[in-house]
Amino acid sequence: MRVSEKMARCRIPLVLLACGSFNPITNQHMRLFELARDHMHSTGQYKVLEGIVSPVSDAYGKQGLVPAKHRIAMAKLALQTSDWIRVDEWESQQPDWTETVVTMRYHYNRILQEYQKSTTMHKFSDDKNPTVTSNPSIQLKLLCGADFLDSFRTPGLWLDEHIEEVSGHYGLVCVSRGGLHSERTVHESDILSRHRHNIFLVTEWVRNESSATEVRRALRRNASVKYLIPDSVLQYIHQHNLYTQDSEKRNQGTLLRPLTKQATNPVSSLDD
């Protein structure tokens, strides 16, 4: 076996998970995955196997959040051309808002079982290749934009133990966005700074400052959003009359569920 092949086999298998509203999913959301995969491959340590889009449940309580069935449908339409990113409905189907760390635990347990099963089958089907059992275990990292990382500083939005588990046990891949300084966010947080070796900061050199918020605003004003979101998603929005003046009033005046749930009933395990 050549050295390059051996090194490729020793790379850590990695799955990237993006949690969020995806209200609606935009081209920029999908670009995060491509940028993150390129960066993680460039480290020489990882091999990205899969990307997962996990839309939040309706119980999140964010203003203007359209029903999950529509956000799931739009995400699936947007990702029809991707051969490695998929949409997962588990989080969106939960009756209550699910903490990001709980969603990560769920997906990690699932992909770990699938990976162990596939490597075991490979072992018994290819006796000439005993090195498969020495491959490192699969990892899951949270993929986010700099605005998501900055939310760790919002009082009451995150529990310290959740930030500890997300950044320490799993890890983060954060793509730069706008004028936010991810390096400063990590530096000013004792928890993030302690796990900075497990936080990968990715620079987006081709700036695209579009956001789902701006897309919704433009749609409400009958302005064009072509080339900001896939045509299939735009067609779906028009077909179902989404993102109107009335839809933006949904959950108006409602506190985000994390601010109420975590203050009274912090979760400590997946069973919770």
Side-chain angles (χ1 to χ4, degrees):
M1 182 183 295
R2 291 180 298 178
V3 174
S4 59
E5 293 177 348
K6 186 175 182 180
M7 290 178 64
R9 297 185 63 81
C10 293
R11 287 191 178 217
I12 301 170
L14 176 64
V15 173
L16 298 171
L17 170 69
C19 299
S21 300
F22 301 100
N23 187 40
I25 191 169
T26 69
N27 290 338
Q28 184 64 7
H29 284 136
M30 295 180 285
R31 279 293 297 161
L32 293 182
F33 281 93
E34 297 293 331
L35 291 164
R37 181 172 68 165
D38 284 349
H39 180 84
M40 298 309 285
H41 285 175
S42 72
T43 66
Q45 296 178 288
Y46 296 92
K47 172 61 178 177
V48 177
L49 303 181
E50 181 183 35
I52 302 173
V53 170
S54 178
V56 74
S57 77
D58 293 338
Y60 185 49
K62 188 175 183 179
Q63 182 172 342
L65 189 69
V66 302
K69 66 178 183 180
H70 292 308
R71 292 181 285 114
I72 288 289
M74 288 186 286
K76 287 183 176 180
L77 286 171
L79 293 168
Q80 281 180 329
T81 59
S82 176
D83 61 358
W84 69 282
I85 312 171
R86 67 176 180 85
V87 183
D88 190 274
E89 301 183 29
W90 180 82
E91 182 182 359
S92 68
Q93 293 176 343
Q94 301 309 301
D96 197 357
W97 166 76
T98 305
E99 292 83 348
T100 299
V101 70
V102 175
T103 301
M104 295 195 75
R105 293 171 190 161
Y106 165 80
H107 284 290
Y108 180 70
N109 289 335
R110 180 188 59 78
I111 64 176
L112 182 61
Q113 291 175 2
E114 291 179 359
Y115 181 72
Q116 290 175 336
K117 181 179 179 180
S118 66
T119 53
T120 299
M121 291 178 64
H122 188 188
K123 174 186 175 184
F124 287 107
S125 65
D126 188 1
D127 293 334
K128 296 180 181 180
N129 185 16
T131 61
V132 291
T133 56
S134 64
N135 281 354
S137 181
I138 195 167
Q139 290 189 14
L140 174 73
K141 294 191 184 299
L142 183 66
L143 170 62
C144 65
D147 51 340
F148 190 106
L149 187 71
D150 199 54
S151 74
F152 287 154
R153 303 196 296 183
T154 302
L157 192 61
W158 289 83
L159 298 177
D160 284 350
E161 53 265 39
H162 288 181
I163 300 176
E164 179 81 34
E165 185 171 348
V166 169
S167 60
H169 181 66
Y170 296 108
L172 291 144
V173 182
C174 177
V175 181
S176 63
R177 184 172 184 180
L180 295 173
H181 301 287
S182 301
E183 296 87 350
R184 179 172 293 278
T185 300
V186 173
H187 171 72
E188 293 180 350
S189 166
D190 289 343
I191 298 176
L192 295 180
S193 181
R194 184 163 57 250
H195 299 296
R196 60 186 177 275
H197 65 282
N198 208 21
I199 301 174
F200 298 84
L201 303 180
V202 185
T203 300
E204 164 63 291
W205 295 110
V206 181
R207 290 290 183 88
N208 182 348
E209 304 303 332
S210 65
S211 67
T213 301
E214 291 299 330
V215 168
R216 294 198 307 275
R217 181 177 290 117
L219 287 167
R220 292 198 308 272
R221 298 173 181 177
N222 293 317
S224 174
V225 295
K226 192 173 179 63
Y227 308 121
L228 296 179
I229 60 177
D231 287 344
S232 57
V233 174
L234 181 56
Q235 182 179 1
Y236 184 94
I237 290 172
H238 289 322
Q239 179 183 351
H240 295 273
N241 194 31
L242 303 179
Y243 305 119
T244 64
Q245 296 290 343
D246 288 338
S247 72
E248 193 63 23
K249 296 177 183 177
R250 183 184 175 94
N251 296 323
Q252 190 173 32
T254 302
L255 277 177
L256 286 178
R257 184 60 176 133
L259 299 176
T260 58
K261 180 180 180 181
Q262 294 183 154
T264 58
N265 186 30
V267 64
S268 58
S269 72
L270 186 59
D271 292 337
D272 292 344

